Amino acid sequence: MASEKKQKQVRVWVDGCFDMVHFGHANAIRQARQMGDYLIVGVHSDEEISKHKGPPVYNEQERYKMVRAIKWVDEVVEDAPYVTTLETLEKYNCDFCVHGDDITVTADGTDTYHLVKAAGKYKECKRTAGVSTTDLVGRMLLVTKSHHERDEEKAVDKNQAGDIGSGSTASSPWTGVSQFLPTSNKIIQFSSGKEPKPGDKIVYVAGAFDLFHLGHLDFLEKAKAQGDFVIVGLHTDPAVNRYKGSNYPIMNLHERTLSVLACRYVSEVVIGAPYAVTADLMDHFKVDVVCHGQTPIMPDVDGADPYAEPKKRNKFKLLDSGCELTTQMIIERIISHRLTYESRNKKKQDKELKILAMLERENSG
């Protein structure tokens, strides 16, 4: 026929807890979005998660907002059922459901995707090796630095590196701790690849953006309102460790890069930006305004103000995101619930090992 029929829009459904939303979640969402034209993400409620796997670190309102900010998400459905049903897919006119190549089960051990699998409406995407909520909680509780990119400054202490891998969270076949291996391809996949247009107002912000959370998100939304093109400068792991101490950053530079790139308010990331915002940096990126949030500004190594240059040019602005949440507060939430989370992780690991054993028996039969 000469008259071209408009192709039907392929609508994709993804669901999950999306607790402590990280670049592993974002990567699954990115892959799912590539399988169709419109992506709907169902997010489970606190009540559902508590029933099936224990209390989430983030409450449902925080999780809904974090998922909405991932740039590949077209729509969020709140309080999505824990077991994905055909009724849900039909209600939102979705062609199929996508999930990672790990197994998710209910409190009684049922595969949460068994209904859509049986109906042939299930597709898989690849898990991002080396990152999971379980892994991040493990890093916080074990207080080690083996995940840092050390800039050749010092080799990783093998005994210390073993600490994370030997925790009770480590031996899950899917979410056990393994090294996240960054590649240029992964950065390209997450990057928008867009240049600023002529006349765009360019906003520059810098920081650690560790364990990318709601406080960061609200700040970046405010920064985006200051201009058209937001560039985020990410400090190196040694720089963050200098001003934050302890085992910060929890996420290394490459992990933080992907977390920030997944945010819809961010146009570009400077990977390993200088701690001081220099004249060179401002000229190179043609920066119109440099913004900072409400966190205290730590002096540079030489005691200088890292924002001296933008202040001199009258291009510095303090923003109030209106969100009190900090990385430290998230860690405090976890430490205060430490025993609950450790038993949650242990239960998850036991459940997965049981399923693996069952699958092996079926395959050998």
Side-chain angles (χ1 to χ4, degrees):
M1 274 176 73
S3 62
E4 277 187 47
K5 252 176 80 176
K6 196 176 176 229
Q7 263 193 320
K8 180 187 172 293
Q9 186 190 55
V10 176
R11 290 166 68 88
V12 183
W13 174 270
V14 165
D15 56 27
C17 302
F18 301 102
D19 194 16
M20 285 179 63
V21 181
H22 51 66
F23 64 91
H25 293 128
N27 194 34
I29 284 170
R30 179 190 67 78
Q31 292 176 74
R33 181 65 178 77
Q34 283 186 323
M35 296 182 195
D37 308 304
Y38 190 86
L39 181 67
I40 302 178
V41 182
V43 184
H44 309 316
S45 68
D46 293 347
E47 190 184 347
E48 282 280 86
I49 297 169
S50 298
K51 190 165 78 185
H52 293 286
K53 61 189 282 190
V57 178
Y58 283 105
N59 69 47
E60 57 200 35
Q61 293 307 322
E62 291 170 332
R63 292 182 292 106
Y64 299 151
K65 192 166 183 182
M66 288 292 287
V67 174
R68 280 194 176 95
I70 296 172
K71 62 185 177 185
W72 301 286
V73 173
D74 294 304
E75 189 181 325
V76 164
V77 170
E78 300 181 0
D79 191 13
Y82 204 78
V83 173
T84 312
T85 63
L86 293 170
E87 288 74 28
T88 303
L89 295 191
E90 279 158 21
K91 182 178 177 182
Y92 296 99
N93 197 19
C94 289
D95 297 271
F96 53 86
C97 159
V98 177
H99 184 65
D101 52 5
D102 56 336
I103 288 182
T104 311
V105 291
T106 62
D108 64 6
T110 311
D111 179 353
T112 54
Y113 295 100
H114 73 282
L115 298 169
V116 285
K117 282 178 180 176
K121 291 193 174 268
Y122 176 84
K123 292 190 181 187
E124 247 170 32
C125 63
K126 279 190 157 48
R127 269 199 86 258
T128 308
V131 66
S132 67
T133 301
T134 311
D135 171 26
L136 295 173
V137 169
R139 289 186 201 183
M140 288 176 234
L141 296 178
L142 289 158
V143 197
T144 67
K145 292 188 198 177
S146 58
H147 54 280
H148 287 189
E149 299 288 333
R150 295 305 298 175
D151 288 355
E152 308 301 321
E153 183 189 293
K154 84 175 184 61
V156 171
D157 176 340
K158 291 286 186 289
N159 296 328
Q160 192 188 52
D163 288 354
I164 277 188
S166 62
S168 64
T169 62
S171 38
S172 157
W174 288 290
T175 56
V177 182
S178 64
Q179 178 82 48
F180 167 65
L181 300 169
T183 60
S184 54
N185 191 42
K186 184 63 68 224
I187 290 172
I188 288 164
Q189 287 170 344
F190 271 59
S191 172
S192 67
K194 292 192 178 91
E195 298 274 328
K197 296 191 288 292
D200 272 358
K201 187 178 180 188
I202 295 170
V203 182
Y204 180 79
V205 302
F209 292 89
D210 193 16
L211 283 178
F212 194 80
H213 57 67
L214 208 59
H216 298 134
L217 179 62
D218 287 348
F219 168 68
L220 289 170
E221 190 177 7
K222 289 275 196 304
K224 180 75 173 82
Q226 299 296 314
D228 309 291
F229 195 90
V230 176
I231 301 174
V232 177
L234 287 177
H235 299 145
T236 64
D237 294 349
V240 176
N241 192 249
R242 179 184 71 82
Y243 64 82
K244 293 261 195 181
S246 183
N247 63 329
Y248 288 103
I250 302 296
M251 281 184 153
N252 70 42
L253 178 59
H254 293 106
E255 295 173 316
R256 291 183 284 118
T257 298
L258 295 179
S259 301
V260 171
L261 279 173
C263 175
R264 63 173 73 247
Y265 306 121
V266 175
S267 311
E268 183 61 287
V269 169
V270 181
I271 305 169
Y275 186 67
V277 182
T278 60
D280 281 351
L281 184 142
M282 291 191 71
D283 295 341
H284 178 80
F285 291 111
K286 302 181 171 60
V287 175
D288 293 295
V289 61
V290 175
C291 299
H292 184 79
Q294 298 298 300
T295 54
I297 298 167
M298 173 97 165
D300 205 347
V301 183
D302 59 3
D305 176 358
Y307 292 108
E309 184 61 30
K311 284 175 181 174
K312 191 174 87 181
R313 298 184 183 201
N314 203 21
K315 290 184 172 182
F316 180 73
K317 192 164 188 179
L318 280 173
L319 301 178
D320 185 354
S321 72
C323 179
E324 306 270 294
L325 197 64
T326 64
T327 303
Q328 182 59 37
M329 283 163 71
I330 291 164
I331 292 174
E332 281 164 9
R333 278 187 197 183
I334 285 164
I335 289 170
S336 69
H337 292 97
R338 180 174 183 153
L339 293 172
T340 319
Y341 289 123
E342 283 182 343
S343 84
R344 181 184 93 168
N345 290 347
K346 177 80 173 71
K347 264 199 296 206
K348 183 172 188 232
Q349 173 194 321
D350 291 346
K351 248 193 301 195
E352 287 173 350
L353 290 170
K354 263 187 212 150
I355 292 162
L356 264 191
M358 194 174 71
L359 292 172
E360 277 167 13
R361 275 200 304 276
E362 282 173 9
N363 292 338
S364 61

